[in-house]
């Protein structure tokens, strides 16, 4: 579900906007925070996927409350049937009659009350005042906006907050509107990232409006947790022995074996017993000096267990490694690896909290060289895999609730395996592998799995009962070239059985059926390996996959508007080009056009997956920001 912030003009860099950053940190991963313009409120179908509409009154760009009648009617309808609105830095007047001017207002027919937002006045106020919430809690350091509240009428169930100065002054109200509700708080959203207790206030305001928030993460480890290389019990799995030969015996107290640096990271290797490994993980988890953001000078711990020993749940509490390998063996069946050969997913690097599964795999060759030296550089085999529960990039943290699967896989292939332009198809193969896994009887089966669809180019959606579509995952593929090889890092995130309000695959499962990330991961990798082998054998040809992909995606014959050409043009989607993996569309006929020929090559409009964004709500293909 989306939390939409109304703004009078498009925002070109949402991540640099304070209100976006704070709301994202409070709501992620349960809700997606986006900006929406006043004009888009009237033209885009935003209401179906909107959990909350936020109207901020920012000092530099106040929200315009003199709205057109269509916009006012859409907002009114949205809230009346169960929607929610939050006004920040806005006051409100509750009237027993509708205003005569064209002002944004909400009408509650049950009480006959009109709620009219009020913009701030140009009045100097104290920099901060203590706020008393309706729960009785007191929050200091919040900045008041110069707004007033007029709540003279007998509206139903009005909830109020108060300022300490002047004593008892109304600071905010929450009022029912039809089946929904609206809240307006006179708390300034300016410099929101620097305001003490703003997160605490927002958590109250959002939960009181009915949103379900993830737990506070203040006690979550901010530093990366140890990486644990592991693999099935096999004769060639002797990474502990290799390390023992490479360095002197470790000190008994720490188990430290050696330190290796590459361009991006410093890795501290430890040969450990299960007991020592559990202690090191506990120490990393309980560290009190974790910085506010991850940096490359933080050592990455790599815990090496004895050969053939899989980590216990004490070491990997959010991922059952033994269950995963059992599921992988079952899924592979007669696809099992021959001696001295490694199959997809058989070499596993597990990290509960990492900087990024993508960037770790892009620079983690040093770990493989010292922990899985037996893995040959086969073009049809995965050499490394990292599933993770939390990722960090820069100052941003992605927290995965229980039941969310995040992983990245690395394939190294010689440059001559297939033509380089065909690399674009790898993201399509990864998406197709997810669909095939979902349709496996061990996940959703054919009937329910058919409701899992691909959104071009790299998103995974589910069609819920009633026809509503929701995103449950995404795919990211990065490539790099060196030494005559191409390294392909396939990153994927899938909501397998996450709790509400996050949409997950489990919403499609049969009663009594239990989905788990370990089985889904094993099946996705197995299906991907089958597709990859066919892809390599066919020198990167797309033809063997076309029918299955068109069956799996949600766009066949879809009418959309391409906004990246001038003028924008309505087109119909017909497929994927076989040469460069572009989205092929045919302009929609709006009348007899001179020289127009159905299917003529020069009448196609082909779109690259990189640089274009598919707005499925609005039916638009736009330039990616």
């Amino acid at each position: 579900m989306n939390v939409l912030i109304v703004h009078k003009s498009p925002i070109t860099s949402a991540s640099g906007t304070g209100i976006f950053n704070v709301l994202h940190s409070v709501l992620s991963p349960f809700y997606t925070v986006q900006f929406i313009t006043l004009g888009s409120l009237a033209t885009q179908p935003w209401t179906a996927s909107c959990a909350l509409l936020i109207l901020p009154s920012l000092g530099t760009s106040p929200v315009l409350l003199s709205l057109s009648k269509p916009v006012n009617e859409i907002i009114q309808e949205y809230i009346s049937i169960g929607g929610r609105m939050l006004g920040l830095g806005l006051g409100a007047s509750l009237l027993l009659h509708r205003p005569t001017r064209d002002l944004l207002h909400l009408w509650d027919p049950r009480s006959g009350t009109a709620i009219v937002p009020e913009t701030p006045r140009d009045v100097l106020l104290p920099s901060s005042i203590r706020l008393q919430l309706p729960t009785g809690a007191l929050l200091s350091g919040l900045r008041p906006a110069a707004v007033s509240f007029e709540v003279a009428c007998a509206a139903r169930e009005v909830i109020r907050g108060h300022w300490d100065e002047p004593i008892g002054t109304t600071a905010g109200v929450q009022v029912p509107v039809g089946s929904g509700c609206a809240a307006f708080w006179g708390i300034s959203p300016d410099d929101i990232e620097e305001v003490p207790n703003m997160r605490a206030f927002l958590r109250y305001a959002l939960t009181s409006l009915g949103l379900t928030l993830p737990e506070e993460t203040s006690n979550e480890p901010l530093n990366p947790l140890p990486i644990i290389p592991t693999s099935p019990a096999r004769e060639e799995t002797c990474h502990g022995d290799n390390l023992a030969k490479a360095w002197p015996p470790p000190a008994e107290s720490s188990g430290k074996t050696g330190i290796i640096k590459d361009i991006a990271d410093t890795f501290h290797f430890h040969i450990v017993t299960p007991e020592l490994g559990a202690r090191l993980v506990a120490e990393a988890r309980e560290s009190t000096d974790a910085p506010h953001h991850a940096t490359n000078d933080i050592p990455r711990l790599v815990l090496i267990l004895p050969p053939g020993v899989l980590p216990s749940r004490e070491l990997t509490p959010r991922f059952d490694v033994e269950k995963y390998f059992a599921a992988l063996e079952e899924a592979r069946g007669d696809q099992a690896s021959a001696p001295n050969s490694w199959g997809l997913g058989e070499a596993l690097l597990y990290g509960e909290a990492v900087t990024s599964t993508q960037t770790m795999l892009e620079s983690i060759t040093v770990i493989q060289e010292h922990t899985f030296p037996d893995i040959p550089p086969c073009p049809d085999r995965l050499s490394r895999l990292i599933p993770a529960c939390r990722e960090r990039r820069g100052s941003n943290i992605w927290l995965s609730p229980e039941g969310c699967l995040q992983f990245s896989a690395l394939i190294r292939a010689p440059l001559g395996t297939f033509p380089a332009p065909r690399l674009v198809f790898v993201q399509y193969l990864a998406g197709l592998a997810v669909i095939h896994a979902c349709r496996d009887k061990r996940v959703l089966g054919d009937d329910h799995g058919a409701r899992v669809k691909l959104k071009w180019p790299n998103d995974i959606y589910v069609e819920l009962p009633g026809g509503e579509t929701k995103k449950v995952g995404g795919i990211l593929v990065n490539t790099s070239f060196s030494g005559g090889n191409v390294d392909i890092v396939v990153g994927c995130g899938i909501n397998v059985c996450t709790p509400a309000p996050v949409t997950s695959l489990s919403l499609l499962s049969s009663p009594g059926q239990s989905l788990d990330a370990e089985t889904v991961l094993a099946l996705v990798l197995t299906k991907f390996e089958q597709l990859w082998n066919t892809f390599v054998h066919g020198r990167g040809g797309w033809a063997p996959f076309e029918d299955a992909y068109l069956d799996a995606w949600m766009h066949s014959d879809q009418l959309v508007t391409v906004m990246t050409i001038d003028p924008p043009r309505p087109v119909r989607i017909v497929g994927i080009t076989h040469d460069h993996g572009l989205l092929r569309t045919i302009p929609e006929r709006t009348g007899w056009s001179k020289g127009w020929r159905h299917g003529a090559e020069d009448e196609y409009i082909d779109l690259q997956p990189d640089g274009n964004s598919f707005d499925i709500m609005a039916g638009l293909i736009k330039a990616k920001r």
Side-chain angles (χ1 to χ4, degrees):
M1 295 291 283
N2 298 320
V3 170
L4 301 179
I5 306 172
V6 179
H7 207 273
K8 66 177 183 178
S9 59
I11 299 292
T12 58
S13 180
S15 61
T17 305
I19 189 169
F20 174 92
N21 293 339
V22 174
L23 285 168
H24 175 76
S25 68
V26 171
L27 292 166
S28 178
F30 286 2
Y31 302 90
T32 300
V33 181
Q34 299 180 20
F35 283 99
I36 187 169
T37 64
L38 292 169
S40 297
L41 289 174
T43 59
Q44 295 190 16
W46 57 272
T47 58
S49 59
C50 181
L52 176 68
L53 187 67
I54 297 181
L55 276 71
S57 180
L58 301 175
T60 56
S61 56
V63 169
L64 302 177
L65 298 184
S66 297
L67 303 180
S68 66
K69 186 176 181 181
V71 172
N72 206 340
E73 290 176 347
I74 289 171
I75 295 176
Q76 172 72 45
E77 180 182 4
Y78 160 71
I79 298 178
S80 295
I81 60 176
R84 292 160 285 203
M85 174 186 283
L86 172 62
L88 290 176
L90 298 174
S93 295
L94 276 60
L95 311 174
L96 291 177
H97 59 83
R98 286 191 150 177
T100 56
R101 293 182 297 150
D102 261 345
L103 294 175
L104 170 64
H105 69 279
L106 305 173
W107 177 253
D108 179 30
R110 302 183 190 181
S111 62
T113 303
I115 302 97
V116 183
E118 302 287 347
T119 54
R121 306 182 306 276
D122 188 13
V123 177
L124 184 64
L125 291 179
S127 59
S128 67
I129 307 178
R130 196 164 63 164
L131 169 69
Q132 182 176 23
L133 296 175
T135 61
L138 293 172
L139 299 178
S140 60
L142 295 174
R143 300 175 182 175
V147 297
S148 59
F149 292 86
E150 182 63 39
V151 196
C153 65
R156 299 180 300 122
E157 306 169 18
V158 176
I159 300 173
R160 302 194 199 196
H162 299 90
W163 294 114
D164 268 4
E165 302 175 22
I167 297 176
T169 304
T170 299
V173 296
Q174 181 170 311
V175 189
V177 179
S179 298
C181 58
F184 297 91
W185 288 90
I187 297 174
S188 174
D190 295 335
D191 302 320
I192 189 172
E193 292 180 285
E194 303 172 10
V195 176
N197 279 321
M198 181 58 81
R199 285 175 57 90
F201 161 72
L202 284 174
R203 290 188 68 87
Y204 164 78
L206 296 169
T207 53
S208 68
L209 285 167
L211 273 67
T212 302
L213 302 188
E215 295 181 2
E216 285 275 29
T217 61
S218 57
N219 295 323
E220 294 283 352
L222 295 178
N223 279 335
L225 289 180
I227 299 168
I228 305 173
T230 186
S231 60
R234 296 167 48 161
E235 291 184 2
E236 65 268 30
T237 304
C238 53
H239 45 266
D241 292 341
N242 280 281
L243 280 174
K245 296 174 184 176
W247 288 297
E252 185 176 345
S253 60
S254 69
K256 184 177 292 186
T257 303
I259 298 176
I260 291 181
K261 293 184 179 182
D262 71 356
I263 296 176
D265 297 294
T266 300
F267 298 102
H268 287 199
F269 290 81
H270 298 250
I271 295 178
V272 297
T273 62
E275 294 75 20
L276 178 56
R279 194 187 83 195
L280 292 175
V281 169
E283 290 175 356
R285 189 184 301 278
E286 295 172 1
S287 175
T288 57
D289 60 350
H292 223 28
H293 60 277
T295 60
N296 288 338
D297 58 359
I298 301 172
R300 273 57 166 165
L301 269 63
V302 183
L303 305 184
I304 311 296
L305 292 168
V309 176
L310 297 180
S312 66
R313 294 305 300 275
E314 189 176 12
L315 278 173
T316 61
R318 299 192 182 202
F319 189 82
D320 190 330
V321 175
E322 185 175 355
K323 183 176 185 178
Y324 160 72
F325 280 124
L328 185 66
E329 183 178 6
E330 179 187 359
R332 292 177 62 83
D334 57 9
Q335 201 177 311
S337 302
N340 300 317
S341 177
W342 291 72
L344 272 150
E346 289 188 330
L348 176 76
L349 301 174
Y350 174 80
E352 182 179 328
V354 300
T355 48
S356 162
T357 59
Q358 288 290 95
T359 56
M360 287 294 286
L361 274 187
E362 289 168 5
S363 63
I364 211 167
T365 302
V366 63
I367 294 185
Q368 185 235 320
E369 291 174 348
H370 290 85
T371 56
F372 295 115
D374 312 289
I375 298 179
C378 296
D380 60 345
R381 291 292 182 263
L382 174 78
S383 54
R384 280 145 277 173
L385 167 73
I386 293 186
C389 296
R390 289 185 292 279
E391 295 189 31
R392 177 193 298 277
R393 295 184 184 92
S395 60
N396 294 322
I397 301 174
W398 280 261
L399 292 177
S400 299
E402 293 294 332
C404 179
L405 170 66
Q406 292 181 135
F407 69 93
S408 290
L410 171 61
I411 301 171
R412 174 167 293 170
L415 287 176
T417 304
F418 47 76
R422 304 296 172 85
L423 284 169
V424 68
F425 291 112
V426 175
Q427 64 181 324
Y428 301 150
L429 295 180
L432 196 53
V434 173
I435 300 300
H436 287 178
C438 290
R439 295 182 181 181
D440 191 284
K441 63 182 180 180
R442 287 159 285 193
V443 182
L444 296 174
D446 286 333
D447 292 340
H448 297 298
R451 291 181 173 271
V452 185
K453 297 289 186 179
L454 297 174
K455 181 177 87 71
W456 181 85
N458 51 14
D459 288 330
I460 304 161
Y461 275 66
V462 294
E463 294 179 349
L464 300 175
E468 189 177 10
T469 59
K470 296 285 187 179
K471 183 177 178 179
V472 295
I475 295 161
L476 178 65
V477 176
N478 292 332
T479 57
S480 60
F481 302 86
S482 64
N485 294 317
V486 56
D487 283 354
I488 307 167
V489 179
V490 180
C492 184
I494 309 171
N495 296 331
V496 177
C497 50
T498 44
V502 177
T503 305
S504 69
L505 296 177
S506 61
L507 296 179
L508 302 179
S509 60
S510 301
Q513 183 182 11
S514 177
L515 300 183
D516 59 82
E518 293 84 354
T519 299
V520 172
L521 175 59
L523 285 167
V524 170
L525 293 175
T526 302
K527 306 296 184 182
F528 184 83
E529 182 173 16
Q530 295 167 354
L531 297 170
W532 173 258
N533 289 340
T534 302
F535 187 64
V536 170
H537 182 73
R539 299 272 304 158
W542 179 242
F545 314 101
E546 183 173 32
D547 290 344
Y549 189 82
L550 295 181
D551 179 62
W553 78 345
M554 55 203 311
H555 304 304
S556 294
D557 203 38
Q558 182 180 358
L559 179 64
V560 298
T561 301
V562 178
M563 304 298 292
T564 55
I565 59 177
D566 189 17
R569 192 168 183 180
V571 299
R572 286 200 180 273
I573 297 175
V574 296
I576 301 293
T577 65
H578 285 212
D579 49 1
H580 297 99
L582 308 181
L583 182 71
R584 171 144 288 182
T585 70
I586 295 179
E588 180 74 352
R589 296 182 63 179
T590 56
W592 291 107
S593 175
K594 183 178 179 181
W596 191 91
R597 294 178 292 132
H598 180 70
E601 190 72 22
D602 58 355
E603 280 297 325
Y604 289 132
I605 297 177
D606 296 334
L607 304 168
Q608 295 188 19
D610 293 335
N612 288 296
S613 175
F614 203 141
D615 188 334
I616 197 169
M617 285 197 310
L620 301 174
I621 296 178
K622 305 178 292 186
K624 188 178 295 182
R625 294 190 182 279

